[in-house]
Amino acid sequence: MLCAVGLPALAADAGRLVVGSKRFTESYILGEIVAQTAAPHVAAVEHRQGLGNTAVVFEALKAGAIDVYPEYLGTVDAEILKHPRPTDIATMNRELAPLGLGVAVPLGFQNGYALAMRGEQAARLGITRLSDLATHAQLVFGLSHEFIGRADGWPGLAARYRLPQRPTGIEHGIAYEALATRRIDLTDIYSTDAKIAEMKLTVLDDDAGYFPRYDAVLLYRLDLAQRAPAAWRAIAALEGRIDAARMIAMNGDAELRGRPFMEIARDFVAPPRGEAAAGRSGWRERLFADDLGRLTREHLMLVLVAVGAAAAIGIPLGAAAAALPRLEQTVMALVGVLQTVPSLALFAMLIPLLGRIGTVPALVALALYALLPIVRNTTTGLAQVPRGLRDAGTALGLSPWQRWCTVDLPLAAPVILAGLKTAAVITVGTATIAAFIGAGGYGERIATGLALNDHATLLAGALPAAAMALATQALFEGAERWLKRRRR
């Protein structure tokens, strides 16, 4: 019986390939190229795009939730394997092999970290090298959060060049806009970013040779070649096919001309014959695009299941805290601590624990975040039930359970319902972050908009989420009014 159940599952896994990508333009495009290259050779291909930073996507690869994703040698060396100095691919593969992972398929270009500033400001101040920054402490540094925390990022760079500045964390997608509007003076960039030339930025020379090489490669599960040999051969044929100029052009197609990642990848995998490239559409077209129905269903499912699970756990917890006052502080402390964990960090921690990405870890995290208002309001509502009414129920011969169901719970219902309303509205907003681990919903558009600094795409994701939050609040307020009329 075990063989009958297990073999079909193994066959399905053997015919399915899952590609991951990080949350920036180039990774989206490369992930889509890998997915489309493999598609003719397997039964099904899925691209889990925008999975957050290196920690999130690497945990997904280790857990087997994805099979392959584009990475960079410098990141593998410094961030994943924690090497103090650059090594070679053979060394990396030797250390990754015990994890069932490997590095292969150098794609043909390097995308290194660098620091850049407005060209006119760099010329006016006479800044051409990173070492020149040490004498300009007044400059405002706006660096991506990942760069600030990376082993090969800001800490080591500041130490190497003795830089006195204290950087502010900023999303990479909006750093260029912050530079253009003079809110910051300098930011970290990728050397293949399309906006460097468009904005006439000066890329500062790494005169002390701090940054390692960041050759683009694929980080993959070693069993992929056995499970999908034809697909792996097709993917391996990408080696050396993408030079820096081609990658910059593809990044420009996405960031400057607003072309979808799928179209850009399709043009690379199967070049078009004289077809005109589509331009950037407005926010109304993005809002009512074909994926709106799917994203709405995914987002609604995340909210309904997470709040339902939180209610199933939170109402009994709140009732226990109200019945046993000595437990109240402990229960409130536990659910309160959950609110202090950053959303994306909690999602990342759940990936290795649950061994997967996508809907399951997202639902667990969202349910945990929804607990506090439900538990707190349940405890408060039950504590406010007059003692005389409880004694009256007992005097009528009701058992403790019957009294709780017929006296305590109905009287506490308005306060409990208010807690559910708060949890539901908060969950609608928090669920947008679930897209960063491949759970779908309106966050897909928001993540893409952030990666491209595309306000139309951001609005196309934020407006439906706001509308769903308003509709959720209106629905609960209607339920509260109905409950009050019924009580009267």
Side-chain angles (χ1 to χ4, degrees):
M1 184 172 66
L2 286 173
C3 290
V5 173
L7 288 176
L10 290 174
D13 287 342
R16 182 170 177 265
L17 188 144
V18 184
V19 181
S21 60
K22 298 186 190 179
R23 189 162 44 94
F24 62 94
T25 303
E26 185 166 293
S27 192
Y28 281 100
I29 295 171
L30 293 176
E32 193 60 37
I33 287 174
V34 172
Q36 292 190 24
T37 299
H41 308 284
V42 287
V45 171
E46 183 179 1
H47 180 196
R48 294 291 187 90
Q49 59 183 14
L51 294 180
N53 58 14
T54 301
V56 173
V57 71
F58 184 67
E59 286 297 337
L61 185 71
K62 285 200 302 182
I66 60 175
D67 298 305
V68 59
Y69 80 93
E71 191 51 278
Y72 303 89
L73 291 183
T75 300
V76 176
D77 251 338
E79 276 295 290
I80 294 174
L81 297 177
K82 309 299 182 184
H83 291 152
R85 294 181 180 82
T87 61
D88 54 25
I89 290 182
T91 301
M92 296 178 197
N93 278 328
R94 187 165 57 250
E95 296 184 23
L96 288 169
L99 301 175
L101 307 178
V103 174
V105 195
L107 296 173
F109 72 95
Q110 182 192 185
N111 183 8
Y113 267 120
L115 298 187
M117 56 192 302
R118 293 183 299 277
E120 50 84 15
Q121 185 182 28
R124 175 166 48 82
L125 297 176
I127 298 175
T128 59
R129 305 169 300 173
L130 290 178
S131 57
D132 296 333
L133 296 171
T135 57
H136 294 276
Q138 79 282 3
L139 294 177
V140 179
F141 283 28
L143 307 179
S144 65
H145 297 91
E146 183 172 3
F147 183 78
I148 289 176
R150 286 174 65 106
D152 57 343
W154 172 252
L157 183 73
R160 174 73 62 88
Y161 286 100
R162 302 181 183 277
L163 300 180
Q165 295 86 357
R166 294 185 179 274
T168 300
I170 189 171
E171 176 67 32
H172 182 75
I174 64 174
Y176 286 106
E177 182 180 356
L179 269 178
T181 56
R182 301 179 181 272
R183 288 177 296 189
I184 61 174
D185 298 314
L186 180 144
T187 192
D188 59 293
I189 54 96
Y190 306 126
S191 58
T192 56
D193 283 353
K195 292 184 178 179
I196 298 172
E198 183 202 28
M199 295 181 60
K200 299 179 181 178
L201 300 180
T202 294
V203 179
L204 304 183
D205 180 43
D206 180 16
D207 50 315
Y210 171 74
F211 290 113
R213 288 187 61 85
Y214 292 90
D215 297 272
V217 293
L218 298 181
L219 194 54
Y220 72 107
R221 295 190 62 81
L222 294 177
D223 63 353
L224 178 59
Q226 287 74 46
R227 288 191 292 108
W232 179 244
R233 285 194 297 271
I235 292 170
L238 291 171
E239 182 171 341
R241 287 186 54 196
I242 308 175
D243 59 23
R246 183 65 184 272
M247 194 68 248
I248 292 171
M250 290 192 290
N251 287 337
D253 282 341
E255 295 179 354
L256 307 180
R257 291 171 284 281
R259 298 192 65 203
F261 302 125
M262 291 182 66
E263 287 185 9
I264 297 169
R266 187 176 65 237
D267 289 351
F268 177 86
V269 176
R273 298 179 180 178
E275 296 177 3
R280 189 184 295 274
S281 56
W283 69 269
R284 291 182 181 83
E285 289 78 8
R286 306 281 179 91
L287 177 61
F288 297 106
D290 294 340
D291 62 350
L292 180 61
R294 173 183 65 83
L295 297 178
T296 300
R297 289 192 298 273
E298 291 173 348
H299 207 92
L300 190 59
M301 183 275 295
L302 288 172
V303 173
L304 290 176
V305 176
V307 175
I313 298 169
I315 292 175
L317 267 180
L324 302 169
R326 65 179 181 274
L327 291 178
E328 183 176 352
Q329 291 300 322
T330 302
V331 170
M332 292 301 174
L334 287 174
V335 296
V337 164
L338 294 172
Q339 300 293 316
T340 67
V341 181
S343 306
L344 197 55
L346 182 58
F347 289 144
M349 287 188 291
L350 287 172
I351 290 173
L353 289 176
L354 300 175
R356 62 180 70 188
I357 58 174
T359 304
V360 174
L363 287 173
V364 172
L366 292 173
L368 292 175
Y369 277 122
L371 279 177
L372 180 59
I374 296 174
V375 173
R376 183 176 56 201
N377 279 44
T378 300
T379 303
T380 301
L382 290 172
Q384 291 176 353
V385 175
R387 183 175 183 84
L389 293 177
R390 292 177 179 170
D391 293 341
T394 303
L396 289 172
L398 299 178
S399 67
W401 173 249
Q402 289 173 325
R403 193 205 69 194
W404 192 84
C405 291
T406 58
V407 178
D408 295 22
L409 186 59
L411 291 174
V415 181
I416 296 174
L417 192 61
L420 289 170
K421 177 179 71 174
T422 302
V425 173
I426 291 174
T427 304
V428 171
T430 309
T432 58
I433 305 175
F436 296 145
I437 59 168
Y442 298 134
E444 280 191 13
R445 291 179 172 181
I446 294 174
T448 302
L450 285 172
L452 299 175
N453 192 24
D454 183 352
H455 298 298
T457 303
L458 277 170
L459 277 175
L463 289 178
M468 183 176 288
L470 291 173
T472 300
Q473 181 156 332
L475 182 65
F476 274 96
E477 287 177 354
E480 287 173 346
R481 287 195 294 271
W482 174 83
L483 192 60
K484 288 178 182 177
R485 286 198 302 268
R486 187 165 178 242
R487 287 183 66 191
R488 285 198 297 267

